[in-house]
Amino acid sequence: MTTNQKKHIVVYDTTLRDGAQSEGLSLSIEDKLRIAHRLDEMGIPFIEGGWPGANPKDGQFFWRLKEEPLTHAEVVAFCSTRRPGKLAAEDPMLQGILSAETHWVTIFGKSWDLHVTEGLHTTLEENLAMICDTIEYLRSQGRRVIYDAEHWFDGYKQNRKYALKTLETALNAGAEWLVFCDTNGGTLPHEITQIVREVFQALPQIQATGVQLGIHTHNDSETAVANAIAAVLEGATMVQGTINGYGERCGNANLCSLIPNLQLKLGFHCIPQAELEQLTETSRLISEVANLAPDEHAPFVGLSAFAHKGGIHVSAVQRNPLTYEHIQPEKIGNRRRIVISDQAGLSNVLEKARSFGIDLNKEDETCRKILQKLKDLEHQGYQFEAAEASFELLMREALGEREHFFEMRGFQVHCDKGAGDINSLATVKVTINGKDILEAAEGNGPVSALDAALRKALMNFYPEISQFHLADYKVRILDGGSGTSAKTRVLIESRNCHKRWSTVGVSTNIIEASYQAVVEGLEYGLILHKQAKLAVTNAYS
Amino acid sequence: MTTNQKKHIVVYDTTLRDGAQSEGLSLSIEDKLRIAHRLDEMGIPFIEGGWPGANPKDGQFFWRLKEEPLTHAEVVAFCSTRRPGKLAAEDPMLQGILSAETHWVTIFGKSWDLHVTEGLHTTLEENLAMICDTIEYLRSQGRRVIYDAEHWFDGYKQNRKYALKTLETALNAGAEWLVFCDTNGGTLPHEITQIVREVFQALPQIQATGVQLGIHTHNDSETAVANAIAAVLEGATMVQGTINGYGERCGNANLCSLIPNLQLKLGFHCIPQAELEQLTETSRLISEVANLAPDEHAPFVGLSAFAHKGGIHVSAVQRNPLTYEHIQPEKIGNRRRIVISDQAGLSNVLEKARSFGIDLNKEDETCRKILQKLKDLEHQGYQFEAAEASFELLMREALGEREHFFEMRGFQVHCDKGAGDINSLATVKVTINGKDILEAAEGNGPVSALDAALRKALMNFYPEISQFHLADYKVRILDGGSGTSAKTRVLIESRNCHKRWSTVGVSTNIIEASYQAVVEGLEYGLILHKQAKLAVTNAYS
């Protein structure tokens, strides 16, 4: 299965072009530059930057990149073949792509006869001329050309002979790469295998001229990654895809899954191993830049990808990880997570303590106490899987190591709705260093009012609180069947400029559940701040 | 490629067992019953219900299902082989599974020698005895057995001979199905193809005895769907998976992609075509029940799966959809979304009106007005798929047919927390028949206090309100990134002794969002009561 050992596979990233077509994703030029530089650092050799001329943003991006050039990667401009009935040299679209001044350009052309006659309203012969002229013209202007054969697989199934002719035309005109695009995303892996194999047989000049094949897949059948692998196993040497699988409709082939599959399982070389270890961070960074919540269940790079529940299972995975993990998470910069849940055993608690930097011994009475407390709280509806900061506070409390920065004495929340808008007001009473503080604030809901009042009360004593932000707020009704009297669980994610942490609260009163999570979020932030200050002091002492 | 035309593929759903292992997913017994009944309606033949005895919830589920039995589907109890060194008949774990009183049980056993010696700490021979005894004992108790070969592919690669022996043992002991489980999710499609092919060659008794093969895959390599398809193309006739691909780590094979791939592209029969057209709705319903945000980019059933942008593309797709869509979205109950045109929506509104018994015409100005209102509200975060009562009220409002039983003038909510418990108090002001009513009530949270005050205010005028109950209450934060200022959507399900109905509210203030949903829930209940009374009067007149 791995006859292609150590063969290089060229990764072609199209996050900035095809990925940016994703519904709900919108990238500024600054965002695009940041992503391009990150991909460059990762060792991705080709980065498709956009279609210069299609919109002002894409053109500007290429210019800005000249001021802050990439180190290794080639940035590629993307464009279609010339318009029907025009000369390539006179088509303003192609002048646009030349003005981007890249070494490489990607030209897409039609492979499917129906798209030529019904989409472009031109003849099959003219389409061949468009492919030929465009590539020859760009070659004459010193560009190297990648040819994207749009709708390849559908076109091939409908009119094999014509599809092959388009590919042969691109090859003869001087394209160095021929890329099979499954534009509609409907093809299944066994079809990819068969068709790529047939193309190699039908066009022996591919191997004779040293032209190489690439694969560009979409995820409409949930097989984009498998489709790309199928083509590689048949001899394709370029894979096109996007980080996190972003892309229109259901997305493109996900490079965060494709690269580790090719490199760690099939023995191909895609990017340096040291860079592969940055994959998880890259995935999360790019989802941050794109302002999209990361998919926690994403293969390889997701938060849950190497999460283990349950006692026996946990001790087994610690003894021999490969019996329960398909790859070592460290190889792609992810890590094993022992999930705290009601199936937890002592080994889970110990593992967690270690990750918090807390020294705990299996024989300690405290260890058993923590486990019991955990189970009691989970029975009440608390859930610590996604609230590790609350779990660490619980652990420190049990060990008598929890520092109390402030003491909550009480709060009041008031919402008032008349004919117009609703008003929300909160007051809080806090004791800090023996001093009682009473503060009030408004918000656009009861919880935001409470949060605001609390921050106001603490700010004079702990100004660092101004750097803590609420990053996420989730509410879950635990027993919906009891209606509005149901228990409510609130999860809050907080962040400062370095870190994120999550806390939990549970109550039949949603305000109180939120309050618990908000208070612990602030308390944990203060611990982090103190630890960071201490680390700096130690470094200088 | 489609030599298996019209061959039946048996779908085995494990959403309630393996799917429930998904981090962040927690299902009550009510939730599980609702999902089971939906899967049954879809025509899924096997529904794995859980591991009776592993926790009280799973046991109760099987008992509750006897009170509300399924129509067609077999519900299956899941369990491991007996413990090492015990008699099957004396293993309490197997008594647990028998007490669920199902026709079918699924037993999983170890295929990988390393897991036997290191995980179970027993001998390879004892593991074979465990497989044999367990199946024979369950057969003697009248059960039909599906055998899940855990870690099949990894085990086979490490020790082919032993792995085959475990399978042969299960077969000889009377298992009717042998299921290949890729437990760690690390196997790639071409390996599945090869190994399944080799097993058929190595164990000719599979075909001789009529025992059938199944496939159970996980998505850790992002190839779960492709892996299942690979096994089916080699002769497996059962696919195991979950709705929306829920499952631990990166999830299981997603039935919402697998079923349409098998049925619409490869010509297999999985479920009746009419039920396949409910797939999108089922996917969304189950994500609502699980209280997880649906994946908008999900293949086949996602909101973006058939979204088209731009002018030319749109007219092309309207002329000949198959040039831009890999399948017809209607075949799985999804729809094409033309981002710039509202044509798609009109027929929906008409369809809905018909289902409410409202006479509406496509040419009516009102129809367009309702559609616009609907779109405005959806843009604000309202969602009517799971809140049909609110949608009906909206429609009646637009038609000038909405009866106003009461007029809300305002409310106040007050929560007060000191040293002890939190107190919640609400006051409401309502006008009924020109009379102002002011009432106050307490509750164990602000929303239950508000609900109580509202009922108190209305009760004297509409005593039937005492028969309305809140059956379910769900809260979803729509844009968690804005923290406690986020928009909140509340869904409330109400019931009387005959019917259930759902209403929705949206606001940045959770109290107000809940209030909207509660008020509409009461209003709709009053409409239903009046209609029922009218029907009775008519029947006697």
Side-chain angles (χ1 to χ4, degrees), chain A residues 114-371:
Chain A
L114 197 72
H115 274 271
V116 176
T117 52
E118 292 210 4
L120 294 177
H121 297 290
T122 190
T123 63
L124 298 184
E125 290 68 36
E126 175 62 7
N127 181 51
L128 296 177
M130 286 155 62
I131 296 170
C132 176
D133 295 354
T134 307
I135 296 175
E136 284 184 347
Y137 173 66
L138 291 169
R139 295 287 289 145
S140 77
Q141 301 300 305
R143 299 301 186 276
R144 302 179 71 173
V145 178
I146 295 164
Y147 176 71
D148 270 11
E150 201 191 20
H151 291 293
W152 172 257
F153 299 95
D154 296 314
Y156 184 92
K157 287 190 223 167
Q158 295 300 319
N159 185 342
R160 181 176 179 276
K161 213 172 134 194
Y162 183 70
L164 286 169
K165 206 172 261 177
T166 63
L167 212 60
E168 208 175 350
T169 304
L171 189 155
N172 291 336
E176 294 178 61
W177 291 92
L178 304 175
V179 181
F180 301 130
C181 302
D182 184 29
T183 309
N184 292 357
T187 311
L188 296 177
H190 65 287
E191 300 175 303
I192 305 262
T193 301
Q194 186 177 329
I195 292 174
V196 175
R197 193 176 294 173
E198 286 177 14
V199 172
F200 266 116
Q201 285 161 357
L203 299 178
Q205 58 270 57
I206 290 174
Q207 269 161 334
T209 54
V211 163
Q212 297 190 72
L213 298 184
I215 181 78
H216 173 112
T217 54
H218 283 263
N219 206 33
D220 299 74
S221 309
E222 211 179 321
T223 59
V225 167
N227 285 358
I229 292 173
V232 168
L233 291 174
E234 288 302 319
T237 48
M238 171 186 281
V239 290
Q240 297 195 350
T242 62
I243 299 293
N244 298 330
Y246 296 140
E248 59 179 327
R249 303 189 312 273
C250 313
N252 287 53
N254 182 359
L255 292 178
C256 295
S257 297
L258 190 50
I259 295 174
N261 273 328
L262 291 173
Q263 187 149 331
L264 300 176
K265 297 187 176 179
L266 294 169
F268 293 102
H269 176 86
C270 298
I271 58 175
Q273 178 54 37
E275 307 311 335
L276 188 57
E277 284 164 20
Q278 305 300 316
L279 189 68
T280 300
E281 202 185 311
T282 299
S283 158
R284 290 179 193 168
L285 176 91
I286 292 177
S287 73
E288 278 299 323
V289 172
N291 199 23
L292 295 173
D295 177 4
E296 299 193 345
H297 298 280
F300 297 97
V301 298
L303 189 70
S304 298
F306 299 91
H308 299 277
K309 284 184 189 178
I312 303 168
H313 188 134
V314 166
S315 51
V317 85
Q318 281 166 340
R319 263 201 320 276
N320 189 348
L322 282 181
T323 58
Y324 281 103
E325 286 170 352
H326 68 127
I327 61 154
Q328 276 177 272
E330 295 75 19
K331 291 216 164 153
I332 42 125
N334 207 342
R335 60 187 181 93
R336 179 175 313 139
R337 268 174 66 238
I338 306 300
V339 170
I340 292 301
S341 82
D342 54 7
Q343 298 169 38
L346 273 183
S347 51
N348 291 42
V349 172
L350 290 168
E351 177 69 29
K352 270 287 163 223
R354 220 181 345 265
S355 79
F356 297 151
I358 294 173
D359 202 23
L360 204 60
N361 193 307
K362 201 171 179 167
E363 313 306 321
D364 283 357
E365 182 49 27
T366 324
C367 197
R368 216 160 273 282
K369 249 172 59 193
I370 292 171
L371 188 63

Side-chain angles (χ1 to χ4, degrees), chain B residues 12-55:
Chain B
Y12 181 109
D13 178 279
T14 178
T15 306
L16 301 180
R17 206 269 309 162
D18 229 2
Q21 304 274 327
S22 181
E23 220 182 332
L25 197 155
S26 134
L27 298 172
S28 66
I29 293 176
E30 295 298 331
D31 293 338
K32 290 184 77 168
L33 289 167
R34 217 168 143 192
I35 293 173
H37 279 278
R38 179 67 183 212
L39 295 170
D40 184 32
E41 285 162 22
M42 285 283 293
I44 308 279
F46 283 109
I47 300 171
E48 193 171 81
W51 184 331
N55 59 61

Side-chain angles (χ1 to χ4, degrees), chain B residues 240-439:
Chain B
Q240 298 195 348
T242 62
I243 298 295
N244 299 330
Y246 296 139
E248 60 179 326
R249 303 189 313 273
C250 312
N252 288 53
N254 182 0
L255 292 178
C256 295
S257 297
L258 191 49
I259 295 174
N261 273 327
L262 291 172
Q263 186 148 332
L264 300 176
K265 295 186 176 179
L266 294 169
F268 293 102
H269 177 86
C270 299
I271 57 176
Q273 178 54 35
E275 308 311 336
L276 188 57
E277 284 162 23
Q278 305 299 316
L279 188 67
T280 300
E281 203 185 309
T282 298
S283 158
R284 293 179 190 168
L285 177 91
I286 291 178
S287 72
E288 277 301 324
V289 172
N291 201 22
L292 294 173
D295 177 4
E296 299 195 344
H297 298 281
F300 297 97
V301 297
L303 189 69
S304 297
F306 299 92
H308 299 278
K309 291 180 190 172
I312 303 167
H313 188 133
V314 166
S315 54
V317 85
Q318 280 167 340
R319 261 202 321 276
N320 190 346
L322 282 181
T323 59
Y324 282 102
E325 285 170 353
H326 67 129
I327 62 153
Q328 276 178 273
E330 296 74 20
K331 290 215 163 150
I332 42 126
N334 205 342
R335 60 190 177 93
R336 180 176 311 140
R337 268 173 64 237
I338 307 295
V339 176
I340 47 159
S341 143
D342 58 8
Q343 263 329 92
L346 265 186
S347 52
N348 258 29
V349 171
L350 290 168
E351 180 67 36
K352 275 280 167 237
R354 222 183 340 266
S355 78
F356 297 150
I358 294 174
D359 201 23
L360 204 60
N361 193 304
K362 199 173 181 167
E363 313 305 322
D364 282 358
E365 182 51 28
T366 324
C367 197
R368 214 161 274 281
K369 248 172 60 192
I370 291 170
L371 185 62
Q372 193 50 51
K373 179 83 184 165
L374 185 70
K375 285 183 186 260
D376 291 348
L377 288 171
E378 286 191 336
H379 185 72
Q380 288 171 44
Y382 285 81
Q383 200 221 30
F384 295 95
E385 257 169 52
E388 299 213 326
S390 284
F391 187 56
E392 186 176 337
L393 290 176
L394 180 158
M395 217 178 246
R396 292 189 182 276
E397 176 84 39
L399 291 162
E401 288 177 10
R402 181 168 174 179
E403 184 174 351
H404 291 276
F405 295 88
F406 52 90
E407 193 190 340
M408 292 302 306
R409 307 293 297 277
F411 68 82
Q412 296 197 341
V413 162
H414 192 77
C415 296
D416 189 339
K417 163 127 182 140
D421 280 351
I422 185 166
N423 295 314
S424 303
L425 175 87
T427 56
V428 294
K429 194 170 169 189
V430 188
T431 304
I432 307 175
N433 301 337
K435 210 176 148 195
D436 283 349
I437 321 280
L438 191 68
E439 285 286 359

Side-chain angles (χ1 to χ4, degrees), chain B residues 512-534:
Chain B
E512 194 183 15
S514 305
Y515 160 83
Q516 290 170 12
V518 166
V519 167
E520 292 207 341
L522 293 171
E523 184 183 342
Y524 192 82
L526 292 172
I527 294 180
L528 283 181
H529 180 80
K530 195 165 170 183
Q531 283 173 347
K533 239 171 78 178
L534 218 63

Side-chain angles (χ1 to χ4, degrees), chain A residues 473-477 488-490 510, chain B residues 291 475-477 510:
Chain A
Y473 175 58
K474 285 201 170 78
V475 174
R476 173 111 168 90
I477 304 299
T488 305
R489 177 169 65 221
V490 169
I510 189 169
Chain B
N291 201 22
V475 174
R476 159 98 31 98
I477 302 299
I510 190 168

